[in-house]
Every structure is written in C-alpha cells, then in structure tokens.
Amino acid sequence: RWNGIEPLARYIGFANFSEVIMDPFFWNAFKNSFLFMISLVVVQVPLALVLALILNAKWLKGAAFYRTIYFLPVVTTTAVVGVVMRFIFGAYKGLVNEVLIRLGWIHKPIDWLGDIDTALMIVIIVGIWKTLGMKMIYWLAGLQSLPQDIYEAARVDGANLWQSFRHITVPLLVPVGTVIVLLSAVNALHVFDLVKAMTEGGPAFATDMVDVYVYRYAFASAGETRIGFASAAGVFYGLAVMLISLILGAFVKMTGGKKTYKS
C-alpha cells in the first residue's frame, strides 16, 4: 500500500490484486476496453481493406492525394482530436447536432458524449476514424507485394475481378491480414489519450477503459493516490493483453503471417 511519496513500508501481499478482482468498476473498464478492441478489429480492418483496394486500383487518379487525406488523422495528436470531437459531438451548437437538425432527422440536440447509451459508440466511431489510415497503409503494402503475373494468368484464363479477388487476392493476403489483426487488436487495447480527452471515462463510467482506470488511481486529482492498487490493476490487465497477444501470435504463425511480415 503506497501513495507514491511515503516509504515502501506497508507490505500487504496480494491484497491489491484481490481488491482489483472484486472491483466491479475494474471489470466494467475491462469490458469496455475489449469491446472497443473487438469493434475496431471487426469494423476497421475490413473497411481499411476495401479502402486499400480502391486506392490501389490502377484506374484511380490522384491516389497519392487520397492516401494522404486518409492518413492525416493518424499523424494528428490524439488528445487534440479528442478535444475537437468534444465540440463536434457537443450537446449544444455541436456540428453533428446542427447538421442533423437542419436535415430534419432530429428535432432537438442530443448529448452524444453525455448519454450512457451513445457515449461509447461515439468513442468507437472516432477511434475507427482516427487509426483507419494506418490499417489502410498495412493493406496497401500487402496488396502491392502480391505477384502480378498470377493476375495476368488469371485474366488470360477468363477470370473477372471478383474471381481474381476471391481466389487470388484473399488467399494471398491471409498471412498479412492476420498480422494486421494482431497489431490492430493490441493497439486498440490502449486508448487512454482519446478517452481521456473526449469523456474522461464518463458518463457514469460508460466509456471507462482500463488505462483510464489505472490513471485515476495512480494520479488521483482528489482523494488518496494508490500507486500499489493501480499497479496491480495494470499488471492484471497486462497479463490479459499478453494472453490475447499469444493467442493471436499463434494464429499468425499458423497462417505464415510472421514470415510474410518479416519479409
């Protein structure tokens, strides 16, 4: 039990870990973290693939310009994005509400980030948009590494675009795709800066993530600072993330993704 200032004199064994396991707020943050991760993997990875296929098409003019546009959110500071999104999704005079009211889709402003039913959804949407460009670059790298002679042979044999995509592109992209899923899942499990800037875990802990949970106890602005408890929560969450990484890593190895990624 340590507040970060006093000497390390109060050894309490595994009491912090026991308290973490029994704390419903920790499991709420744990659930939100994995829900955020699953949403990003399920929605963002396929969406980035579709975007990469379009931007990799030979018929598209100005592809470099569009790639830059989609990649810009990635290099934008996440905290700044979070603050801007608070204004965009603001309850009053927010851009989203103003547009929806003018279109006649809603009749009064919605507190998107202040409602427990919509706050997490908005954070997930912003998270998908923020890092979509990075996954797009991953897929583009995979697409551009595919041997073109196979496609030429398929065209000679009369294969159309859908047949080439289904029987050539998808099988060849599986090793790269598993690596992208691994990277997306692990990165999505750490979303402290975006949540801290947008909602600080609220309302009513609806968007609370483990990173924010740990920060709240380690650097408490009010009340007792509990470094030991925060460390226990971080270690417990780290073990869960490591387990997910090992499972996905084994899947990557099974599909040959590790070899492809290194090359």
Side-chain angles (χ1 to χ4, degrees):
R1 190 179 305 276
W2 186 48
N3 61 8
I5 300 176
E6 298 176 353
L8 288 168
R10 291 181 290 175
Y11 181 74
I12 58 174
F14 290 95
N16 283 323
F17 289 94
S18 299
E19 187 177 351
V20 167
I21 294 174
M22 297 300 294
D23 187 5
F25 291 103
F26 172 79
W27 291 111
N28 172 68
F30 191 91
K31 178 200 69 176
N32 289 338
S33 296
F34 276 86
L35 183 60
F36 182 88
M37 180 270 287
I38 293 171
S39 300
L40 256 68
V41 171
V42 172
V43 177
Q44 189 184 67
V45 173
L47 182 61
L49 174 58
V50 173
L51 189 60
L53 288 169
I54 296 173
L55 296 180
N56 194 53
K58 295 181 179 180
W59 50 264
L60 181 65
K61 297 182 179 180
F65 171 77
Y66 293 114
R67 293 174 188 176
T68 303
I69 293 297
Y70 283 110
F71 193 75
L72 278 177
V74 178
V75 297
T76 305
T77 305
T78 306
V80 174
V81 170
V83 172
V84 172
M85 289 300 169
R86 290 182 65 173
F87 288 101
I88 291 178
F89 290 98
Y92 303 101
K93 300 299 181 179
L95 177 62
V96 173
N97 280 325
E98 290 293 320
V99 171
L100 294 179
I101 290 175
R102 290 180 182 275
L103 291 175
W105 292 359
I106 61 175
H107 301 290
K108 60 180 181 179
I110 299 174
D111 192 1
W112 298 99
L113 296 177
D115 190 332
I116 59 175
D117 295 325
T118 59
L120 183 58
M121 178 188 68
I122 298 302
V123 172
I124 290 173
I125 291 174
V126 175
I128 291 173
W129 169 80
K130 175 69 172 69
T131 56
L132 179 65
M134 182 60 72
K135 311 308 182 298
M136 176 197 70
I137 294 298
Y138 291 159
W139 282 121
L140 277 173
L143 288 170
Q144 293 175 358
S145 67
L146 300 182
Q148 296 301 311
D149 54 343
I150 300 179
Y151 291 95
E152 294 173 2
R155 281 194 295 268
V156 172
D157 291 338
N160 56 33
L161 289 176
W162 169 247
Q163 291 171 331
S164 296
F165 174 76
R166 179 181 177 184
H167 298 290
I168 299 176
T169 305
V170 171
L172 291 178
L173 280 180
V174 166
V176 177
T178 54
V179 175
I180 295 174
V181 170
L182 171 62
L183 295 175
S184 301
V186 174
N187 291 335
L189 286 172
H190 299 287
V191 64
F192 169 79
D193 42 4
L194 182 63
V195 174
K196 181 65 176 176
M198 287 186 67
T199 64
E200 295 190 5
F205 303 100
T207 62
D208 199 22
M209 306 289 175
V210 176
D211 292 349
V212 180
Y213 177 92
V214 171
Y215 174 86
R216 189 162 56 245
Y217 284 98
F219 306 99
S221 57
E224 181 185 3
T225 300
R226 303 182 62 189
I227 301 294
F229 180 78
S231 299
V235 169
F236 190 89
Y237 184 60
L239 292 175
V241 174
M242 184 177 68
L243 179 61
I244 295 296
S245 302
L246 290 175
I247 294 173
L248 293 176
F251 185 62
V252 169
K253 188 175 181 179
M254 288 172 55
T255 59
K258 185 176 181 182
K259 181 179 178 182
T260 302
Y261 182 67
K262 286 184 176 179
S263 61

